[in-house]
Structure formats: structure tokens, C-alpha cells
């Protein structure tokens, strides 16, 4: 097996770093998506309640009474925040994927034997 040039070794190290970043972003996306699905489901449930229904929410280790209106407002804000976060993570994932693709092409080109002309 031929020796890998130092510049290619550096690119391989960078590629590994990008792949680790990508894994972290994917994990964060999965968590945010799960939180978003949960918040949307809670929002649907509260919207279906009558206006005078008793609503409770968790605050740390406590469960406290709140109004339907206040609970709806908080959940809508949470959904909005999570959607913004998810969009940011999607953009971040796309940028890292582009870097991985670009770097992979550079590595392949560097390792390709020179063609006889």
C-alpha cells in the first residue's frame, strides 16, 4: 500500500471532523423534531378543550394550574422557536454535507494516479 501524502492525511482528518459534526447536528435535529412533534400534539389537544377547561402544566418538578389561553400562547411560542431551531439545523446539516462532498472529491482527486498524456 502506498504512503498517503501528509496533505491528504490532513484532509482525511478534516473529513472525519466534518462527519462528527454532522452526527451531532443530526442528533440535535432528531431531538428538536421530537420536541416539536410533542408541542404540536399538546397544542392540538389544548385547542380542542372547552374555553373554561382546567389546564395544568409542568414547571420543573411541579405541576401548576394555568389558563387555556396562556397555555396556548406558550405552546405556540414553543412551536415557533422549535421550528426556527429546526430550520437552522437543516441549513447547518446542508452546509456540512456540502463540505463533506467537496472534501471527498478533493481527496479522491489527490489519490487518483496521474494519467499518462
Amino acid at each position: 500500500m502506498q504512503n498517503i501524502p501528509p496533505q491528504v492525511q490532513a484532509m482525511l482528518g478534516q473529513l472525519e471532523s466534518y462527519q462528527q459534526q454532522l452526527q451531532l447536528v443530526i442528533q440535535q435535529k432528531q431531538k428538536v423534531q421530537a420536541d416539536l412533534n410533542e408541542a404540536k400534539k399538546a397544542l392540538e389537544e389544548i385547542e380542542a378543550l372547552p374555553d373554561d377547561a382546567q389546564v395544568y402544566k409542568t414547571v420543573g418538578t411541579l405541576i401548576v394550574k394555568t389558563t387555556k389561553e396562556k397555555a396556548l400562547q406558550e405552546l405556540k411560542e414553543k412551536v415557533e422557536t422549535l421550528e426556527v431551531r429546526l430550520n437552522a439545523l437543516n441549513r447547518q446539516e446542508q452546509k456540512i454535507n456540502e463540505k463533506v462532498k467537496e472534501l471527498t472529491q478533493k481527496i479522491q482527486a489527490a489519490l487518483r494516479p496521474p494519467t499518462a498524456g
Side-chain angles (χ1 to χ4, degrees):
M1 183 169 161
Q2 71 183 42
N3 290 334
I4 298 175
Q7 70 184 49
V8 175
Q9 289 177 3
M11 286 190 281
L12 288 169
Q14 185 64 48
L15 182 61
E16 186 177 334
S17 173
Y18 285 147
Q19 289 169 335
Q20 289 171 350
Q21 289 175 28
L22 191 57
Q23 285 302 317
L24 285 173
V25 169
I26 290 169
Q27 289 172 355
Q28 290 173 359
K29 263 182 58 177
Q30 290 170 342
K31 168 101 173 70
V32 169
Q33 187 64 60
D35 291 348
L36 181 58
N37 292 343
E38 186 179 297
K40 284 181 176 180
K41 180 66 176 159
L43 191 57
E44 287 175 23
E45 292 294 325
I46 291 177
E47 286 174 336
L49 293 174
D51 288 340
D52 61 346
Q54 291 186 359
V55 177
Y56 297 87
K57 67 177 185 172
T58 57
V59 180
T61 58
L62 301 175
I63 297 176
V64 296
K65 190 174 180 179
T66 187
T67 64
K68 176 183 175 182
E69 182 180 315
K70 192 170 185 180
L72 282 172
Q73 179 186 351
E74 288 174 3
L75 279 171
K76 286 177 182 176
E77 287 173 7
K78 183 176 183 173
V79 165
E80 188 178 309
T81 300
L82 289 169
E83 285 174 340
V84 168
R85 179 77 178 126
L86 189 59
N87 287 335
L89 287 168
N90 281 329
R91 284 192 306 273
Q92 192 175 356
E93 180 185 20
Q94 185 178 2
K95 285 180 182 177
I96 295 171
N97 273 325
E98 288 169 7
K99 289 178 182 179
V100 166
K101 184 179 176 184
E102 190 179 301
L103 195 53
T104 301
Q105 289 172 345
K106 285 181 181 179
I107 291 168
Q108 288 172 346
L111 292 177
R112 198 171 295 130
T115 55

